[in-house]
Amino acid sequence: MKSGVLLRLAQLLLLTSVIGAWYVLTETEVLPPFFFGKPLLVFDQIVVWFADRSIFPHLGITLLETLLAFVIGTSAGLVCGLWLALSPLAASLLDPYVKAFNSMPRVILAPIFAVWFGLGIWSKVFLGITLVFFIVFFSVFHGVRQVNPIWVASAKLMGGSRFKLLRYVYLPSAMAWVFSSLHAAVGMAFVGSVIGEYLGSASGVGYLILQAEGVFDINAVLAGIVLLTICALLLDWVVTQCERYFLRWQPAASEHSG
Amino acid sequence: MDAIKLSGVNFSYARGVKLDYVLSGIDLAVEAGQFLSFVGPTGCGKSTLLHLIAGLSQPSSGQLDLFGRVCAGVNTDCGYLFQSDSLLPWRTALENVTLGLEIRGVEKRSATELGMVWLDRVQLKNHHHKFPHELSGGMRKRVALAQTLITNPKILLMDEPFSALDVQTRSSMENLLLDLWSADRKTVIFVTHDIEEAISLSDRVIVLSAGPSSHPIAEFPVLLPRPRDVFEVRLAPEFLTIQREIWAKLKQEVEKTNARLM
């Protein structure tokens, strides 16, 4: 417990010293403030955004895109992962295409999605989905293939149909794999929305950052980045809480050795 | 009518012209209510035999009948107690025990009631809310035993179920098994390395030859009176006689296996 508090303090100290160094270096103009911004001005910018409420529509749009990409991408990844893992024929048929899509730099799809789905939220959502999907898909796919065959045999002898096996054995054991991939997926969902907004939109935090960049307002760019980071951390925290609840059956890490 | 009947059963993992049999020429009849043990050297296909009876694998040739019916698919009349852990780690002890009932569509409340009865029978009533990782190895085996028996299978298949347990836990598990078994005398096929375990539990012990192409080479009726206590039964003079006879047979097979593996 005590070492936990100390750790938090040390983490806080690290953050303040980095910001402090940034403050000192830019105030003394060792680093040109024009390119590196100033921490206080970044902070001011965030306060202004919230004070005049101008940030809310942008933040709302970005969060909506991110959440949609996250939820749809994760569900699709889970369903396809289960399907391909349990159907060897489909898996071997689709294997080269899955690999091809996964190794393709998917950010390059953003302009195509903009043409297909317009400049609204859906082009961003689809970009996010293509990023989130593969992370979840691969971990579920490999996870299900490693399900203990004894659990499957045992459920079969209890009279389990394919559907019952899915419900009682495969799906719950895939959950552990889903959660391990969700932390990475959160970040990717944000990447999808922000890149999408960056490449063509009329709202969203990515759009704000692009606008600020256009007028060399580095402080507003940094303020946008800080805001996105905080949102990503919050979403990651929510994932951690869900993980704790759904995976409460797992032994704590320290018990493994015992 | 025999509970289990194997006629001319061969089994090979490979398919094709040149078959390398794991089991070959198995003819066996087990009457209902019999407790039968198989002993044999490592790698003689004991587990494979249980898989065949359960219908988890299909024989390459030959026929399996259960209670006079020819079998082709998974035999849900069989309960299977595996050598390694079969409990689902995300379900509590109680939820693991009631798994078979849930899969068969039994209503939740009556499943829970029956689950508690079975947890009580294996002396784990107070541990119903614990997850498998919170239970000891012996407790997990008792949960697995309750899980297997709750669906009331006609045939119980046991694959070295107690081999991972320490000696004391093992003996008390054996006594518990005999207790539960004597209530309704299911047909049991028990596979083990351990001659003493086989004799103290069974009505009949069959020795399997060394693999490949493993098959029964000798069988011994065990006429020791029941109910038995696995600690005490080992001191009976008849016990030692049978043990010596079985070991004489088994020894040759173990030596063959060792020679093959060296």
Side-chain angles (χ1 to χ4, degrees):
Chain A
M1 198 62 207
K2 201 175 170 199
S3 68
V5 175
L6 275 178
L7 186 65
R8 287 277 174 243
L9 278 177
Q11 286 171 341
L12 207 62
L13 188 70
L14 187 62
L15 180 68
T16 38
S17 48
V18 168
I19 294 176
W22 177 21
Y23 175 79
V24 171
L25 288 173
T26 48
E27 283 300 318
T28 55
E29 304 209 356
V30 173
L31 291 175
F34 182 76
F35 294 119
F36 289 89
K38 286 187 175 181
L40 287 180
L41 295 178
V42 170
F43 182 71
D44 281 346
Q45 178 66 69
I46 295 176
V47 172
V48 166
W49 276 343
F50 279 94
D52 65 9
R53 298 175 170 275
S54 61
I55 190 69
F56 289 116
H58 294 294
L59 198 55
I61 290 285
T62 303
L63 287 181
L64 179 66
E65 289 161 357
T66 304
L67 283 176
L68 282 172
F70 183 67
V71 170
I72 299 172
T74 301
S75 320
L78 177 61
V79 170
C80 291
L82 280 171
W83 174 48
L84 286 198
L86 298 179
S87 157
L89 185 68
S92 39
L93 176 69
L94 296 177
D95 179 61
Y97 305 103
V98 170
K99 275 189 188 136
F101 269 111
N102 182 49
S103 42
M104 179 168 65
R106 268 149 288 144
V107 172
I108 219 70
L109 294 174
I112 299 178
F113 285 153
V115 173
W116 288 353
F117 305 110
L119 295 180
I121 66 167
W122 289 104
S123 54
K124 289 82 185 171
V125 172
F126 273 95
L127 183 60
I129 290 174
T130 61
L131 295 171
V132 168
F133 173 83
F134 285 97
I135 299 174
V136 178
F137 169 80
F138 278 111
S139 61
V140 170
F141 182 67
H142 292 299
V144 169
R145 289 192 152 194
Q146 284 171 34
V147 164
N148 188 343
I150 285 179
W151 297 341
V152 179
S154 163
K156 270 188 191 163
L157 283 168
M158 290 172 188
S161 59
R162 259 181 92 83
F163 172 75
K164 298 257 165 116
L165 285 180
L166 191 68
R167 167 159 176 217
Y168 289 104
V169 181
Y170 289 114
L171 204 55
S173 66
M175 285 320 278
W177 295 89
V178 170
F179 275 107
S180 70
S181 65
L182 284 191
H183 293 284
V186 166
M188 279 305 179
F190 270 103
V191 169
S193 359
V194 175
I195 298 279
E197 287 165 3
Y198 209 76
L199 292 178
S201 68
S203 55
V205 179
Y207 167 78
L208 270 191
I209 293 177
L210 184 66
Q211 294 294 302
E213 222 175 69
V215 295
F216 290 102
D217 182 357
I218 197 75
N219 290 314
V221 172
L222 289 171
I225 293 172
V226 169
L227 218 51
L228 286 175
T229 309
I230 292 170
C231 290
L233 281 176
L234 281 177
L235 199 54
D236 191 70
W237 179 83
V238 172
V239 170
T240 307
Q241 295 312 306
C242 294
E243 190 178 12
R244 278 213 188 132
Y245 176 76
F246 283 111
L247 301 185
R248 64 190 181 284
W249 50 269
Q250 279 190 334
S254 57
E255 278 178 62
H256 278 307
S257 53
Chain B
M1 193 193 348
D2 294 314
I4 303 169
K5 189 157 180 275
L6 294 155
S7 337
V9 165
N10 297 311
F11 181 79
S12 162
Y13 285 106
R15 287 172 193 277
V17 191
K18 191 168 165 279
L19 290 181
D20 205 0
Y21 285 119
V22 179
L23 297 166
S24 79
I26 310 268
D27 287 295
L28 173 74
V30 186
E31 51 189 90
Q34 191 169 62
F35 198 126
L36 166 65
S37 286
F38 281 99
V39 293
T42 309
C44 71
K46 298 185 294 258
S47 307
T48 311
L49 187 58
L50 291 190
H51 265 67
L52 287 175
I53 296 172
L56 293 169
S57 313
Q58 301 305 319
S60 308
S61 56
Q63 184 177 318
L64 165 69
D65 300 78
L66 298 187
F67 298 100
R69 255 188 18 247
V70 183
C71 290
V74 172
N75 300 318
T76 50
D77 282 343
C78 298
Y80 203 129
L81 201 59
F82 292 90
Q83 183 176 7
S84 56
D85 250 341
S86 63
L87 300 182
L88 300 177
W90 55 86
R91 292 174 80 94
T92 61
L94 177 62
E95 288 167 343
N96 262 297
V97 172
T98 58
L99 178 66
L101 299 179
E102 266 186 63
I103 286 180
R104 288 174 188 199
V106 174
E107 186 226 348
K108 179 111 186 176
R109 229 196 29 215
S110 44
T112 305
E113 252 167 53
L114 192 55
M116 285 309 282
V117 170
W118 272 100
L119 274 178
D120 193 29
R121 284 184 194 162
V122 296
Q123 295 134 33
L124 285 174
K125 206 172 185 177
N126 300 326
H127 300 275
H128 65 93
H129 58 281
K130 289 191 179 163
F131 288 106
H133 77 92
E134 298 170 304
L135 299 169
S136 70
M139 288 165 147
R140 284 204 290 270
K141 272 294 169 220
R142 281 188 272 160
V143 175
L145 189 59
Q147 183 189 53
T148 310
L149 291 175
I150 198 170
T151 50
N152 197 19
K154 290 188 193 144
I155 297 168
L156 188 56
L157 305 171
M158 307 182 84
D159 187 0
E160 302 190 40
F162 310 139
S163 59
L165 303 176
D166 64 81
V167 180
Q168 284 93 16
T169 314
R170 188 172 179 162
S171 305
S172 64
M173 282 299 299
E174 288 162 4
N175 275 333
L176 176 66
L177 172 64
L178 283 184
D179 257 13
L180 294 172
W181 175 72
S182 64
D184 58 356
R185 301 233 168 178
K186 296 177 189 309
T187 312
V188 180
I189 309 283
F190 193 100
V191 152
T192 178
H193 274 111
D194 183 340
I195 299 177
E196 287 189 26
E197 185 176 46
I199 302 169
S200 51
L201 295 174
S202 316
D203 300 318
R204 180 180 171 201
V205 177
I206 293 184
V207 179
L208 284 174
S209 71
S213 294
S214 186
H215 55 275
I217 45 167
E219 70 167 87
F220 302 85
V222 181
L223 302 168
L224 296 162
R226 291 185 189 273
R228 297 178 195 163
D229 179 297
V230 294
F231 294 104
E232 284 161 22
V233 77
R234 285 171 202 203
L235 305 173
E238 301 98 299
F239 186 98
L240 296 173
T241 316
I242 301 172
Q243 190 179 6
R244 215 168 292 131
E245 285 171 21
I246 296 178
W247 176 237
K249 275 285 175 196
L250 186 59
K251 197 176 158 195
Q252 304 159 12
E253 300 307 316
V254 170
E255 279 163 0
K256 272 187 225 164
T257 303
N258 288 346
R260 189 166 61 89
L261 295 177
M262 294 286 199

